[in-house]
Amino acid sequence: MRLSPSGRFSRAELRLAMAAPRPSAGLTSEWQLVDGLRTHTRRSADPGTGAPPVVLVHGLAVSHRYLTPLAVALATTHPVYVPDLPGFGLTERPRGAYDVRRHADHLAAWLAAYRLPPVCLLGHSFGAEVAASVAATHPAAVRALVLAGPTSDPAGRSRRTQFGRWLVDTTREAPLQAPILARDMWNARPWRVVATLSHSVHNAIEADLVRITAPTLVLAGDRDPVVPARWRDQATRLVPDASLVVVPAAAHNVVTTAPTAVATAIRHILSPDPALTDR
């Protein structure tokens, strides 16, 4: 499948995003019981390169669906796993909305259930909060960490501010992403989205950032209103071993609209070998 240039999203990518649980572009679906919940994972085949697995963690209100272009971009060199967090996508819905710590505990249990070697863990938006928590509390499970568009900065830690920033972001995103959001909101139910947003704005991610020991990449689109430049710079400084990559022409959903650039950045943090980085 041909991936769109940075800042774009094609109809072919939309069809791929909406395909689960059917196999598509080398991605398949499977379910595993994790902490009592039937948990859905979209995954690629192992390309046989010996490269470490990459686990992609979605953000608020969404699911594996919008991460599928990035999964395809990475699958030529890495085994890729994209789990749906509890209550989102095709994973079973618990009665309540999990906070960051409980999502992190579920993701750590998911990693243990799959018996993966130390992974490259990418979290996007709210998923970056979950990934940071896992990296801080289960360092042996995380070989490298990518915090893509991490929420939320101390200057914008309210539901009103975050919703306002998201509204601005919708004007900068590729329009074809809208059907994915609508489908994911329906799967999760709006009340769960609102409750999870409340958990997000009460989560002090900086307390986890300072405890991370894995090599870390903070990554954001240069047109992202949800993650202002001052916050992405501060987040990078807080992590003991972190670098920053800003993707031109991308907004908050950089992992969807700039999958090739993000995949290149992930390969670089995992291996300095140009042969891998340039694929």
Side-chain angles (χ1 to χ4, degrees):
M1 182 190 72
R2 185 176 178 82
L3 298 170
S4 296
S6 182
R8 306 280 292 279
F9 187 68
S10 70
R11 291 189 180 278
E13 288 165 322
L14 174 60
R15 288 192 294 271
L16 171 64
M18 303 293 270
R22 302 186 312 276
S24 183
L27 302 178
T28 57
S29 287
E30 61 189 27
W31 284 261
Q32 190 157 166
L33 195 65
V34 179
D35 272 357
L37 293 178
R38 191 168 181 262
T39 301
H40 171 259
T41 300
R42 196 72 166 161
R43 63 177 293 184
S44 72
D46 189 334
T49 61
V54 179
V55 176
L56 309 179
V57 184
H58 65 80
L60 178 68
V62 282
S63 72
H64 73 276
R65 293 185 177 103
Y66 79 115
L67 293 169
T68 50
L70 177 57
V72 170
L74 284 165
T76 57
T77 52
H78 294 268
V80 184
Y81 298 78
V82 196
D84 285 333
L85 295 174
F88 296 93
L90 301 179
T91 287
E92 184 179 349
R93 292 192 292 269
R95 292 184 64 183
Y98 284 10
D99 62 11
V100 172
R101 192 67 63 191
R102 197 165 182 192
H103 274 302
D105 289 344
H106 187 273
L107 183 58
W110 179 94
L111 288 168
Y114 270 84
R115 299 182 178 180
L116 296 175
V119 303
C120 175
L121 185 62
L122 177 144
H124 174 248
S125 198
F126 176 75
E129 298 181 58
V130 176
S133 180
V134 171
T137 56
H138 298 82
V142 181
R143 173 172 175 161
L145 179 67
V146 181
L147 303 174
T151 52
S152 54
D153 67 289
R157 207 159 273 167
S158 72
R159 290 189 302 185
R160 176 178 292 183
T161 300
Q162 289 300 309
F163 185 70
R165 290 180 180 182
W166 176 78
L167 287 178
V168 173
D169 185 66
T170 60
T171 68
R172 303 179 182 183
E173 295 287 354
L176 280 175
Q177 294 176 91
I180 302 174
L181 178 61
R183 176 71 174 274
D184 284 337
M185 287 277 289
W186 170 255
N187 284 148
R189 305 297 188 260
W191 71 263
R192 188 183 305 278
V193 174
V194 173
T196 306
L197 176 59
S198 295
H199 288 312
S200 174
V201 299
H202 287 99
N203 176 58
I205 186 176
E206 57 269 28
D208 286 324
L209 296 181
V210 298
R211 298 169 57 201
I212 292 168
T213 57
T216 299
L217 181 68
V218 177
L219 186 145
D222 70 348
R223 302 182 69 237
D224 184 353
V226 180
V227 182
R230 66 180 182 278
W231 167 238
R232 70 192 184 214
D233 292 343
Q234 181 185 352
T236 306
R237 290 193 300 269
L238 286 170
V239 181
D241 180 12
S243 56
L244 173 66
V245 170
V246 179
V247 180
H252 187 57
N253 285 354
V254 59
V255 291
T256 305
T257 60
T260 303
V262 176
T264 297
I266 291 170
R267 292 187 181 108
H268 184 74
I269 197 173
L270 287 172
S271 173
D273 182 354
L276 287 179
T277 303
D278 294 340
R279 288 194 188 190

